[in-house]
Amino acid sequence: MNFEKLLIGLITEYLASILFLLLLGLLCYGIEVLI
Amino acid sequence: MKAFKRNDWLTIFHYTGFIITITAILFTLPILVALFNQEWSALLDFLIGFSTTLIIGSTLRFVGLQRETQKRLEWKHGLVISSLSWLILLILCAIPYYLSQQYGSYLDAMFDVMSGFTTTGLTLALDLDHMSISLNVWRHMLTFVGGQGMVVLALSFLFQQTQGAYKIYVGEGKDVELVPNVKGTARIIWVISLINLFIGTTFLTIIGILQVGLQPLNAVLHGFCIFASSWSTGGFAPSSMNMLFYHSFPYELATMLFFLLGALNFGLHFAVIKRNKRELYRNIEVQSTVITVFISAVLLLYALSKIGLYDNAVLNFRKGIYHLLSAHTTTGFGTIYVRQFISDFGELGILILIIVMLIGGSACSTAGGIKGLRIGIIFKSILHEIKKSLSSERRILLARYHHIRDNTLDDGILKSSFVIALLYILLFTATTFIGIRYGYPAIEAAFEAASVTGNVGLSIGVTVPTMPSGLKITYIFAMFLGRMEFMSVFALIGILISEVKYLCLKKYSPSH
């Protein structure tokens, strides 16, 4: 397994997960504002 | 007719012995930790466990040794080897637990081992806060290895490609081949997990020191334990207060990140590493999980707003979303006391958690449950049927889905998805009824049943050392069935029944 590829792949996965958590955080704020 | 002949059993003993012998190596880490921390009593417990496991594993290998063993591995062997290895290891790995006197009985010790192996995360320890460091490392290591799979671990140690090894691998509930051989696939799974273990432990150690205020060595221990639990979607923690012990938002965020990644398919990890980034949003499993998470999040936040205890977005995220993701990825970490589920979440909130616990994470990951892939396939087929009924009769519509590659949704895949989903629901219903029979309220029995069936580990307070032994055995069996995805356990039961039947017929046949 190529180390460079592995590193880029891991960073991509971590960034995608952080984005997903951010969206869920935004959802919490959205619902707080709405309700 | 006898289902298995003598040679079949010899093949099964040989490979079961191989898996047990490899697992015996795991004892070396807690032995080293016990030596380093001068925990002499624990050291003796681990040495007894190690030697017993090694002797039994080697004996089975020796008994099953025959020239033709490697050539004759069939599907029926693979399924039985997987479940038999798990059952024998369940008894053997419980030795240090029982000898530590941290568990009320050997059954309680086995409950904890099964909970670790299956990455459930429920515990029956009497005093978790005063457990030896080496035993805590052992618990978390078992859950980390269990997440990847005991069989996967053993297969990665194969010195040469064994014909039919794929059959044992599938028996453990994993069915993705990342590279053309199983040994290579098993090794890739371990490389991905170990690199993440290093990153995760380092990250949690830094937060532990800077934000939580732990001593450096203690922070490393907690970092290792919590990462092992997060990545394997286990849910064990070194403290009886679970994640509440840390009172730290960054620590909670980090665990969320790790258990989200842990609940992803190893095939997806491999595809992303191979620079196929589009897989992250094209994969049917990712799509179905994102949809179910967002729908359930909206419903849960609505339910929480009705109760009104969490009055701001940060609290809703730390309590509501945290438990939702913990349940959906089948991790089982909690940031509230177990009895707070009833008061803080209400019946609607608990119902949502039960549903997401049953849905679970991804196939061929460390997570349990019905799995996002099957949910995606089932919904895709329903949509396809609706489309078909609306289109003109002459048009032939082919249903397709993307999972690592483009696939056609055929009857075989659809049937197996429905069968497994149905079996999960049946297991959940039966476990709930047994809980109710033991006198627990329906909602509590259902919550705990969903938790053991989906290998989650969240508890509403039913799982305690004083619970009835019958319920402990039921939960052990439910965790085992849920993790192995039924087939290999059914194969073992079927073989045992046919062996007993054969012996009875032989005993009472007129010729005798």
Side-chain angles (χ1 to χ4, degrees):
Chain A
M1 220 186 290
N2 185 322
F3 182 72
E4 190 198 344
K5 272 187 180 178
L6 188 75
L7 201 68
I8 294 169
L10 282 173
I11 292 169
T12 311
E13 284 193 327
Y14 275 82
L15 287 176
S17 301
I18 290 168
L19 181 70
F20 184 63
L21 289 177
L22 268 172
L23 286 173
L24 284 167
L26 278 174
L27 182 74
C28 288
Y29 273 107
I31 289 195
E32 190 191 1
V33 172
L34 281 172
I35 298 176
Chain B
M1 205 185 113
K2 211 171 175 234
F4 272 14
K5 297 192 175 80
R6 185 177 168 272
N7 279 347
D8 292 315
W9 282 115
L10 291 180
T11 305
I12 288 169
F13 288 157
H14 179 76
Y15 284 101
T16 306
F18 175 73
I19 293 167
I20 292 168
T21 313
I22 295 294
T23 312
I25 299 168
L26 295 179
F27 279 90
T28 47
L29 181 66
I31 285 172
L32 290 173
V33 173
L35 268 172
F36 181 76
N37 290 291
Q38 301 180 353
E39 295 172 340
W40 307 122
S41 172
L43 177 68
L44 192 64
D45 300 344
F46 283 112
L47 285 173
I48 293 168
F50 171 67
S51 42
T52 314
T53 309
L54 201 62
I55 290 166
I56 290 178
S58 308
T59 309
L60 280 171
R61 277 198 79 180
F62 180 72
V63 167
L65 200 63
Q66 49 177 333
R67 202 178 293 167
E68 296 297 304
T69 296
Q70 292 198 347
K71 291 179 186 167
R72 293 189 313 98
L73 205 56
E74 296 168 23
W75 280 108
K76 59 180 182 181
H77 298 143
L79 293 173
V80 175
I81 290 165
S82 296
S83 44
L84 192 64
S85 310
W86 272 61
L87 285 179
I88 296 174
L89 284 171
L90 171 70
I91 298 165
L92 294 172
C93 291
I95 294 171
Y97 283 70
Y98 180 68
L99 293 177
S100 71
Q101 297 184 328
Q102 280 281 351
Y103 295 85
S105 65
Y106 207 86
L107 181 66
D108 291 11
M110 289 202 297
F111 183 99
D112 236 68
V113 175
M114 185 55 94
S115 179
F117 275 174
T118 57
T119 72
T120 303
L122 291 167
T123 183
L124 291 177
L126 295 170
D127 188 5
L128 199 55
D129 299 315
H130 296 98
M131 192 177 266
S132 66
I133 295 170
S134 48
L135 192 60
N136 247 324
V137 168
W138 179 237
R139 288 172 73 233
H140 290 85
M141 197 178 64
L142 283 190
T143 204
F144 183 69
V145 176
Q148 289 26 268
M150 318 302 285
V151 169
V152 171
L153 172 76
L155 291 179
S156 56
F157 278 87
L158 283 178
F159 295 109
Q160 56 192 32
Q161 184 55 28
T162 304
Q163 282 178 17
Y166 183 65
K167 290 149 193 168
I168 319 177
Y169 171 73
V170 171
E172 206 178 33
K174 288 189 166 60
D175 56 1
V176 168
E177 270 200 286
L178 307 178
V179 286
N181 64 73
V182 164
K183 185 180 74 174
T185 301
R187 285 186 179 172
I188 287 171
I189 288 177
W190 274 102
V191 167
I192 294 170
S193 297
L194 288 174
I195 288 173
N196 275 291
L197 176 70
F198 177 74
I199 296 170
T201 306
T202 312
F203 196 56
L204 286 173
T205 302
I206 293 168
I207 302 176
I209 295 168
L210 298 179
Q211 226 272 329
V212 183
L214 296 170
Q215 292 297 313
L217 267 180
N218 211 13
V220 174
L221 171 77
H222 281 261
F224 167 77
C225 290
I226 295 298
F227 179 81
S229 263
S230 307
W231 175 260
S232 62
T233 65
F236 277 154
S239 163
S240 59
M241 290 164 79
N242 207 272
M243 288 306 295
L244 197 59
F245 172 79
Y246 304 99
H247 283 291
S248 161
F249 192 27
Y251 216 83
E252 288 163 19
L253 270 176
T255 56
M256 283 170 112
L257 195 62
F258 299 139
F259 60 62
L260 266 176
L261 289 168
L264 292 178
N265 193 308
F266 280 109
L268 181 72
H269 287 298
F270 192 59
V272 176
I273 288 167
K274 286 267 171 195
R275 293 211 173 158
N276 182 9
K277 295 184 187 68
R278 292 200 310 162
E279 193 65 32
L280 272 172
Y281 56 88
R282 282 189 70 203
N283 194 301
I284 188 175
E285 205 160 25
V286 179
Q287 291 172 350
S288 89
T289 305
V290 168
I291 292 168
T292 50
V293 165
F294 273 94
I295 293 173
S296 53
V298 171
L299 291 171
L300 183 67
L301 290 171
Y302 169 75
L304 293 179
S305 74
K306 288 283 155 201
I307 303 281
L309 279 171
Y310 307 136
D311 56 358
N312 62 61
V314 176
L315 264 182
N316 273 323
F317 189 83
R318 289 184 68 177
K319 307 294 176 187
I321 299 295
Y322 191 89
H323 287 102
L324 181 83
L325 287 182
S326 176
H328 207 312
T329 57
T330 73
T331 306
F333 276 147
T335 55
I336 56 172
Y337 292 105
V338 288
R339 300 304 293 179
Q340 272 181 278
F341 277 113
I342 294 171
S343 60
D344 294 11
F345 281 63
E347 286 188 355
L348 178 61
I350 289 173
L351 184 69
I352 294 161
L353 289 183
I354 289 173
I355 293 168
V356 296
M357 282 197 273
L358 288 173
I359 293 173
S362 298
C364 195
S365 71
T366 62
I370 295 171
K371 309 277 162 57
L373 178 62
R374 297 195 182 100
I375 299 290
I377 286 174
I378 290 169
F379 274 94
K380 192 105 188 174
S381 75
I382 294 169
L383 284 175
H384 179 67
E385 285 305 312
I386 295 169
K387 255 190 203 170
K388 229 165 69 174
S389 63
L390 292 175
S391 71
S392 88
E393 282 178 26
R394 285 186 184 178
R395 276 183 65 196
I396 298 167
L397 283 175
L398 263 182
R400 293 184 184 279
Y401 67 95
H402 184 85
H403 177 61
I404 312 298
R405 57 182 168 271
D406 286 324
N407 303 284
T408 309
L409 189 56
D410 59 42
D411 286 350
I413 292 168
L414 191 58
K415 203 171 125 189
S416 73
S417 298
F418 267 108
V419 167
I420 300 282
L422 185 72
L423 285 171
Y424 265 108
I425 292 164
L426 283 175
L427 179 64
F428 161 69
T429 314
T431 314
T432 304
F433 272 111
I434 293 170
I436 293 169
R437 281 286 296 151
Y438 274 105
Y440 293 95
I443 192 110
E444 294 183 21
F447 188 93
E448 217 79 0
S451 185
V452 289
T453 311
N455 301 135
V456 182
L458 285 176
S459 176
I460 205 162
V462 175
T463 306
V464 287
T466 50
M467 73 196 268
S469 297
L471 200 55
K472 286 176 189 170
I473 294 167
T474 308
Y475 284 176
I476 289 176
F477 192 60
M479 287 189 271
F480 185 44
L481 270 174
R483 179 65 171 86
M484 304 298 270
E485 298 199 332
F486 305 98
M487 292 312 153
S488 47
V489 184
F490 289 168
L492 180 65
I493 294 169
I495 297 298
L496 291 178
I497 289 173
S498 77
E499 288 292 315
V500 172
K501 239 165 93 178
Y502 174 77
L503 286 174
C504 292
L505 283 172
K506 201 175 159 190
K507 194 175 175 187
Y508 297 109
S509 66
S511 57
H512 281 77

